[in-house]
Amino acid sequence: MWAPEAVEQVPGLVAGRAAGAAAAGARRRLGPAMPLPDGSHGYSRAEVLQRCAQGACLVLRGRRLYDLTAFVRLHPGGEQLLLQRAGTDIRAALDGPPHRHSDNARRWLEQYYLGELRDAPAEDAPSNSETCIPASPLVTRMSGKMDPRCQPVDIDKDLVDWRKPLIWQVGYLGEKYDEWVHQPVDRPIRLFYSDFVESLSKTSWYVVMSIWVPLVLYLSWCCYTSLANDDIHLFSSITTKYSIRIYKYYFPVLFIVGMIIWSFLEYIIHRFLFHLKPPASNYYLITLHFVIHGQHHKSPFDDSRLVFPPAPACPMVLGFYMLANFLFPEAFGVSIFAGGLFGYVMYDMVHYYLHYGSPKKGTYLYKLKAYHVKHHFEHQRAGFGITSTFWDHPFRTLIPEETFEKED
């Protein structure tokens, strides 16, 4: 379908990121497998248990064997829960309780498929719903050059050519786009041909901290000293008789108000902008949606695309700063702006942690991580709160809790 030479059109695409290669290299592999009559690879139960004893996390779904070692830290239920199931059949766990895994979660599992268990009972033969499409010959032939995480996906059936930048392709998906973008995969995304432009579309979590936190501290100090030294009144442009004097000890209140305003904006932007379904006939709106948020839903664990890059964030931050100065007296408005900017930084850090952190079971962040992963894998039209679920309550977009009827 596509010529192998196309891989070389984008420098660095097939090599993948160093972090991705390291994660893939850490995945434990079994030794040479014995071919089965259907052409798949077969492993013995003793081999599976041996590798699990050495620290790998291999699980079974009937006769099908999966290597989840690289996914353990990312599992929303926690590392320990997944490690406890190493070497066992997870079919009952997939159906719950306490949680019934979605179709997307089961599709996600197939990306870690290794082969078949040779000595499994006949009744454990995989059903039609449990089988996955094997990798295409093209992917197999090029596996030495491709990023290891790209191998499990059949590029002939995935609607796009993953070896080329996606920004110019997704707009042609039309009515298939919404379903495609909400079927997550574990692989990196390339948007642009240019390495420089591509670098502006990605960022590490600590870059957000290093750029915006110093600005928050500087603005906070300027606002506090201005409120302490200047005679600042609210509503002074309307009336001098009833204007309100703003003192320096108002600053913490204004800062917190800014954080609250951001939490509301976080919900509104996520729900009404990021999850605005683009018309199937509009190439440009589909492309725009993919750039601002669709890419994150397609590859939710691409660590370079979990926080907002500073380059596109700068004009937005400047716009909010100018709006605050226009609506309020300078120190008053900037105090609120500083709190809002800090709220944004907290949002980005929490969002990154919900994808790559491993919070302790029972904690607030543990529940929030499970809630956010449900938004990605099952409830894309609900659960829009990131740092909290507060605004999901009044707007009735709370993800419902699962219930299981007890058997007699």
Side-chain angles (χ1 to χ4, degrees):
M1 187 174 180
W2 295 288
E5 303 87 73
V7 182
E8 303 302 333
Q9 293 180 6
V10 186
L13 176 60
V14 297
R17 303 184 311 276
R27 186 176 298 177
R28 304 300 182 100
R29 297 294 184 185
L30 293 172
M34 181 182 297
L36 295 178
D38 61 358
S40 60
H41 291 167
Y43 300 94
S44 69
R45 190 174 295 275
E47 290 174 314
V48 173
L49 295 178
Q50 180 184 6
R51 294 304 293 162
C52 289
Q54 295 173 354
C57 185
L58 307 179
V59 298
L60 292 162
R61 190 182 181 195
R63 288 176 53 186
R64 299 176 65 78
L65 180 65
Y66 304 89
D67 182 0
L68 299 183
T69 309
F71 184 67
V72 168
R73 187 172 60 88
L74 306 177
H75 184 244
E79 297 182 33
Q80 196 60 34
L81 184 63
L82 204 54
L83 291 174
Q84 289 174 353
R85 291 180 167 82
T88 67
D89 193 314
I90 61 170
R91 285 180 293 182
L94 288 174
D95 291 330
H99 167 64
R100 186 188 184 281
H101 290 69
S102 65
D103 291 339
N104 273 336
R106 296 163 195 259
R107 188 182 295 108
W108 181 274
L109 175 66
E110 295 300 330
Q111 296 176 105
Y112 305 103
Y113 173 70
L114 279 182
E116 304 288 317
L117 193 66
R118 289 200 306 265
D119 48 0
E123 59 267 21
D124 282 344
S127 64
N128 292 334
S129 62
E130 293 177 330
T131 58
C132 68
I133 302 171
S136 69
L138 178 58
V139 176
T140 303
R141 183 168 65 250
M142 300 180 60
S143 60
K145 296 182 179 180
M146 295 285 284
D147 185 304
R149 290 180 294 169
C150 295
Q151 293 179 26
V153 178
D154 186 344
I155 60 175
D156 292 321
K157 299 182 180 294
D158 200 40
L159 304 181
V160 297
D161 184 349
W162 284 91
R163 299 162 300 161
K164 299 177 182 179
L166 297 187
I167 190 173
W168 314 117
Q169 303 181 58
V170 294
Y172 293 109
L173 295 181
E175 60 184 14
K176 297 180 180 179
Y177 170 75
D178 191 66
E179 180 182 4
W180 174 85
V181 82
H182 289 126
Q183 293 179 352
V185 295
D186 184 14
R187 59 187 298 148
I189 282 180
R190 176 93 184 198
L191 289 180
F192 303 97
Y193 280 102
S194 168
D195 286 340
F196 174 72
V197 178
E198 179 71 7
S199 68
L200 296 179
S201 71
K202 301 189 293 186
T203 191
S204 300
W205 67 269
Y206 53 83
V207 174
V208 174
M209 294 278 289
S210 62
I211 291 178
W212 300 121
V213 169
L215 180 59
V216 169
L217 294 175
Y218 172 74
L219 292 176
S220 298
W221 173 252
C222 290
C223 291
Y224 182 80
T225 54
S226 179
L227 293 175
N229 300 324
D230 299 338
D231 186 22
I232 299 177
H233 287 75
L234 196 61
F235 308 123
S236 59
S237 60
I238 302 175
T239 173
T240 56
K241 183 178 181 180
Y242 297 104
S243 62
I244 302 175
R245 174 77 164 87
I246 306 300
Y247 297 95
K248 62 181 180 181
Y249 47 79
Y250 285 16
F251 173 76
V253 177
L254 297 175
F255 193 89
I256 293 174
V257 168
M259 293 182 64
I260 294 173
I261 292 175
W262 166 256
S263 73
F264 178 69
L265 288 175
E266 167 195 315
Y267 176 89
I268 294 298
I269 292 172
H270 190 192
R271 178 180 179 181
F272 295 106
L273 177 61
F274 289 175
H275 281 270
L276 179 66
K277 186 176 179 180
S281 59
N282 196 309
Y283 170 91
Y284 298 101
L285 288 182
I286 290 176
T287 302
L288 179 62
H289 177 269
F290 186 73
V291 170
I292 63 175
H293 196 60
Q295 56 170 312
H296 174 53
H297 269 262
K298 189 61 183 176
S299 183
F301 293 102
D302 187 342
D303 60 346
S304 65
R305 300 187 182 278
L306 289 176
V307 294
F308 204 61
C314 284
M316 297 181 63
V317 170
L318 179 60
F320 280 116
Y321 175 80
M322 295 174 64
L323 180 63
N325 274 312
F326 175 77
L327 294 176
F328 305 104
E330 184 174 355
F332 184 93
V334 176
S335 298
I336 296 175
F337 170 79
L341 185 58
F342 182 72
Y344 156 71
V345 173
M346 293 299 297
Y347 151 79
D348 253 355
M349 295 302 98
V350 169
H351 184 230
Y352 185 91
Y353 186 76
L354 295 184
H355 283 266
Y356 265 82
S358 185
K360 186 178 179 181
K361 186 174 182 179
T363 62
Y364 173 75
L365 287 175
Y366 178 89
K367 297 176 182 177
L368 202 59
K369 179 182 176 76
Y371 185 82
H372 187 60
V373 170
K374 286 182 181 180
H375 166 74
H376 272 279
F377 282 77
E378 190 171 9
H379 298 277
Q380 292 88 2
R381 306 302 177 191
F384 299 107
I386 305 297
T387 52
S388 81
T389 62
F390 176 82
W391 295 106
D392 282 315
H393 289 270
F395 286 99
R396 298 183 178 181
T397 54
L398 195 71
I399 296 176
E401 294 187 6
E402 292 181 84
T403 57
F404 289 86
E405 295 182 0
K406 295 183 178 180
E407 295 183 357
D408 295 333

